[in-house]
Amino acid sequence: MRTLTYWQAISEATVQCMERDERIFVAGEGVDDVAGAFGTTKEAFRRFGPSRVVDMPNAENATAGIAVGAAAAGQRPLVVHVRADFMFLAMDALVNMAAKWRYTYGGDKGGVPVVTRGVVGRGWGQGSTHSQSPHATFAHYAGLHVATPATPADAKGMLVQALTGDTPVVLIENRNLYPLVGEVPEEPVPVPFGVGRIARAGTDVTVVAASLMVHEAERAAEQLAERGISVEVVDVRSLRPLDEGIICESVAKTGRLVVADTSWARYGFTAEVAAVVAEHVPHALRAPVRRVSLPDSPAPVSHPLEEAFHPNASSIVSACLDVCGEAGAVLPRLASVSAGFQGPF
Amino acid sequence: MLSSRTRLIRDMVRIRTVEEVLADYYRDEQEMRTPTHFSIGQEATAVGVCAVTTPRDWVYSGHRSHAPYLAKGGDLEALVAELYGKEAGCSRGRGGSMHVMDQAAGFAGSAAILGEMIAAAVGAGWAFARAGERRVALTYFGEGAADEGVFFESLNFAAVHRVPVVFVCENNQYSISSPLGVRHAPGTSVRGRAEACGVRSLAVDGNDVFGVRDAARDAVEHARDGRGPVLLELATYRWRAHVGPGLDHDHGYRSQEEIESWMAGCPIVRAAGAVRDETPGIDALVESWRAEFRREVHAAVDRAKALPFPDTAGLLSGAYLPAAR
């Protein structure tokens, strides 16, 4: 199969969906500029022009509310935030309106299938308010679908699913995934939400991960394999709906669980996965659950602090060794996937 | 056959009567378990504006929703059933007083969070324009919602893109109990804020239903013709408490003199006075309408109370489409 980068896959999904459905339009700050949301909206702008790739004022709250109204009137908005942190300004419209629209008006008057993409800018000193991953924040609210595609194929397929479905969707994309190359179907084939993926099969410990951490987990698994520890990596793909089955089946098999995320532990994705396992397969666990997540501070800028702040493959290795009863073992440190990310933005 | 002017009065009498009767039930029975914001005293803004819309135009509102809903032609029985939390309610008992909708009538929804439907209406109007349809979106909100950031963001966007939307600001002077003086700088107005955003705007006596209708007709035509959005700042006054059926005249945030002067300027009394020459029997008509609408709303209440509540087995119904859960 032919290959694309992650960002090319997003661009292709956007263009193909816009070709097939003229109700789809892209809205976001600077989506028409030379950078084109890290390349993801450039081709759409070239093909469809400013009426369908709309440069919005700096008004995240109204943009989300306008998208809700446009969706209620039959359009299919795709809102893009080049920094996901700005989505907090859109929370009223996304949480109080988009998520609740179908239910609150009775469930029989249609929904507002607004699709919102947010790019997480981890690395290169992005700091406290340019590198947050708000997937768990949005996944808290019933009515939304929230996905964190980890591969180019999923980046395309899940955007296709979002733009052809009837549910409001939040897609969180880690910027460090953008250069990643992978096989991507040429046709716009939807990848359904709520169906996880075994990124790597194993027998000794399960690492459940989302987004960038899937790749860090795979790299950790390679290193641990050399030591004779077989790691199974579960890519949840979407946080809501969450594929509880694939998580529980894997833990039932391995008896050990590490959960890896690009955000904080408290009340987050790692907490949710641990709770799912505690509720459904508590007796399968042969060791306490370990969570790999951000330490409890905002993200720093200075390079050494930033390196210490973000968990990576080596953090996952340590957690896996711990649950396998080898807490004292020290393996060579692995470079972060994000090591290749260059500035300035 | 009623003249267009007497029809407006009849529509205001209907809303007033419905709300007065519902407020009594609400207070006496404690069975409508939903925070409810009555528009008693503010009927001219609802009726005057909605009168110039077509069924294909969409009207949104904030939490003070009943009057715009009814003025746009929203189904009374479905509204009353909604207030009683019944499955036959306009939102199937899921939304309550602050989340009502009647798509057939073109009442596109009300929302509880201030200012939300300002943005939603801009989105709907933009969608109409994008689809090449000559339809207009309108959105009711209080002057309190004009303090929200989304008000400025939405007006700015609407002006930039010449969105066919009419912003209907019901300026009833108070945000719950906070007067304008503590929220707006001296010498400013909602209308002025709109002008600063490049939105054509007009301040109108909101208790003069005929003046409201005339201004709204111009505004809707302007928007429909693609000449851009319009804001109407309609000065009016809420007679009852911010929320609930009661009077709050002893709460101290507004003077008895002020309340009495606004009540003396009742939009129904004023409109009746204005047509008395051409329709000498207007007072008798108003009385007969009151009786007619009292019967209508009592009957709607009786029917609503006899209807079933939603089945709790359907608690999750509508959160997602069945296939998407």
Side-chain angles (χ1 to χ4, degrees):
Chain A
M1 199 186 286
R2 63 76 199 253
T3 59
L4 292 179
T5 62
Y6 189 96
W7 68 264
Q8 287 169 331
I10 293 167
S11 172
E12 184 172 275
T14 307
V15 168
Q16 288 179 340
C17 288
M18 290 177 79
E19 277 171 348
R20 284 162 175 74
D21 186 347
E22 64 181 20
R23 300 169 306 163
I24 297 173
F25 66 88
V26 177
E29 293 153 22
V31 288
D32 63 338
D33 71 14
V34 66
F38 309 118
T40 58
T41 58
K42 243 179 137 160
E43 181 63 14
F45 179 69
R46 196 186 66 77
R47 295 242 198 141
F48 304 109
S51 68
R52 290 186 69 195
V53 179
V54 186
D55 187 13
M56 299 296 284
N58 302 323
E60 294 80 9
N61 189 4
T63 294
I66 288 166
V68 165
Q75 298 273 306
R76 302 278 326 210
L78 168 57
V79 180
V80 180
H81 298 266
V82 294
R83 282 292 179 268
D85 313 71
F86 286 77
M87 293 172 71
F88 295 131
L89 291 164
M91 282 201 78
D92 175 48
L94 288 174
V95 171
N96 284 328
M97 298 176 87
K100 294 169 176 55
W101 194 275
R102 180 184 297 281
Y103 186 88
T104 302
Y105 298 109
D108 56 351
K109 296 174 196 69
V112 284
V114 174
V115 181
T116 307
R117 289 179 43 214
V119 185
V120 177
R122 163 178 159 169
W124 200 260
Q126 301 288 325
S128 59
T129 59
H130 263 33
S131 62
Q132 297 170 95
S133 302
H135 44 286
T137 306
F138 287 100
H140 187 61
Y141 297 99
L144 296 177
H145 280 171
V146 179
T148 51
T151 65
D154 281 357
K156 178 173 179 182
M158 297 187 114
L159 181 52
V160 171
Q161 174 64 43
L163 288 171
T164 53
D166 290 310
T167 304
V169 176
V170 170
L171 293 165
I172 300 297
E173 305 158 0
N174 196 294
R175 173 89 164 82
N176 292 284
L177 296 170
Y178 269 45
L180 193 76
V181 177
E183 292 188 343
V184 179
E186 297 201 13
E187 290 303 303
V189 183
V191 170
F193 299 126
V195 182
R197 178 179 72 94
I198 302 293
R200 178 190 175 108
T203 53
D204 297 329
V205 54
T206 298
V207 179
V208 177
S211 186
L212 179 69
M213 295 312 274
V214 172
H215 301 280
E216 299 287 0
E218 287 180 286
R219 282 149 26 81
E222 273 173 39
Q223 192 180 40
L224 288 162
E226 292 166 15
R227 199 181 167 84
I229 296 174
S230 167
V231 176
E232 179 148 296
V233 178
V234 176
D235 173 7
V236 293
R237 296 163 121 185
S238 68
L239 277 71
R240 182 184 273 276
L242 180 65
D243 187 347
E244 298 187 346
I246 199 169
I247 295 168
C248 294
E249 279 170 32
S250 179
V251 173
K253 181 174 68 176
T254 63
R256 298 180 184 90
L257 174 63
V258 169
V259 196
D261 191 16
T262 53
S263 191
W264 292 279
R266 294 272 179 254
Y267 317 106
F269 167 67
T270 61
E272 182 62 28
V273 172
V276 164
V277 168
E279 282 174 343
H280 297 293
V281 285
H283 303 300
L285 288 173
R286 288 188 274 163
V289 176
R290 284 284 173 264
R291 298 196 267 167
V292 176
S293 56
L294 297 179
D296 266 335
S297 73
V301 167
S302 172
H303 188 56
L305 291 176
E306 187 178 56
E307 284 294 295
F309 179 76
H310 290 293
N312 61 11
S314 287
S315 327
I316 296 170
V317 167
S318 299
C320 289
L321 289 170
D322 189 16
V323 299
C324 291
E326 298 184 35
V330 178
L331 301 187
R333 275 197 72 79
L334 297 167
S336 293
V337 170
S338 57
F341 179 21
Q342 295 297 305
F345 187 56
Chain B
M1 187 68 183
L2 298 174
S3 72
S4 67
R5 278 152 67 92
T6 48
R7 257 203 312 275
L8 294 181
I9 299 172
R10 185 174 186 272
D11 289 347
M12 289 196 293
V13 170
R14 181 166 182 258
I15 292 169
R16 172 75 58 86
T17 307
V18 164
E19 292 228 290
E20 285 178 343
V21 171
L22 288 178
D24 287 348
Y25 278 110
Y26 191 103
R27 178 196 62 215
D28 297 339
E29 296 179 333
Q30 300 287 304
E31 283 183 27
M32 293 182 223
R33 299 169 62 93
T34 172
T36 296
H37 306 76
F38 292 96
S39 289
I40 293 166
Q42 302 186 195
E43 297 85 355
T45 52
V47 168
V49 174
C50 287
V52 303
T53 64
T54 74
R56 280 172 51 74
D57 295 331
W58 277 8
V59 168
Y60 291 89
S61 84
H63 51 284
R64 206 166 299 287
S65 60
H66 301 185
Y69 171 99
L70 291 170
K72 190 67 174 69
D75 187 89
L76 175 66
E77 289 189 15
L79 173 67
V80 175
E82 186 62 29
L83 300 178
Y84 279 97
K86 299 305 178 75
E87 179 70 18
C90 60
S91 298
R92 295 179 59 233
R94 272 70 171 179
S97 168
M98 294 189 284
H99 303 99
V100 295
M101 185 184 278
D102 187 328
Q103 291 175 319
F107 189 79
S110 63
I113 307 292
L114 298 195
E116 279 181 345
M117 291 310 203
I118 301 174
V122 171
W126 194 32
F128 296 157
R130 295 178 68 82
E133 298 174 341
R134 281 178 51 80
R135 298 163 68 187
V136 177
L138 301 94
T139 183
Y140 282 87
F141 53 93
E143 90 291 343
D147 299 350
E148 300 280 359
V150 73
F151 167 83
F152 296 91
E153 294 184 7
S154 301
L155 265 67
N156 176 57
F157 180 87
V160 170
H161 287 267
R162 299 171 77 86
V163 175
V165 59
V166 175
F167 303 102
V168 184
C169 177
E170 298 180 284
N171 186 343
N172 68 11
Q173 332 289 325
Y174 292 90
S175 180
I176 307 186
S177 58
S178 303
L180 277 172
V182 303
R183 296 181 289 120
H184 295 189
T188 68
S189 64
V190 176
R191 177 192 167 200
R193 293 177 179 186
E195 276 174 359
C197 293
V199 172
R200 174 190 164 107
S201 57
L202 204 62
V204 177
D205 176 348
N207 280 0
D208 168 14
V209 72
F210 308 122
V212 169
R213 178 201 53 190
D214 293 345
R217 181 182 287 136
D218 290 347
V220 168
E221 271 178 24
H222 186 88
R224 198 185 304 285
D225 289 345
R227 286 183 282 152
V230 182
L231 179 138
L232 301 174
E233 181 177 0
L234 308 176
T236 185
Y237 201 77
R238 153 172 64 76
W239 291 8
R240 302 237 174 163
H242 158 69
V243 61
L247 300 173
D248 63 355
H249 298 181
D250 59 346
H251 287 200
Y253 70 87
R254 45 186 186 173
S255 72
Q256 197 58 40
E257 295 71 32
E258 178 185 291
I259 294 165
E260 280 168 13
S261 93
W262 277 97
M263 290 179 74
C266 167
I268 295 172
V269 170
R270 282 179 56 185
V275 303
R276 201 162 282 121
D277 286 346
E278 66 195 52
T279 311
I282 187 64
D283 297 320
L285 274 174
V286 166
E287 275 319 301
S288 73
W289 292 332
R290 279 191 201 281
E292 174 191 343
F293 298 134
R294 263 197 294 271
R295 285 192 300 275
E296 183 190 15
V297 66
H298 281 299
V301 167
D302 289 345
R303 269 192 292 275
K305 290 205 278 196
L307 288 167
F309 282 108
D311 186 339
T312 54
L315 179 65
L316 303 183
S317 148
Y320 291 94
L321 283 175
R325 182 166 295 284

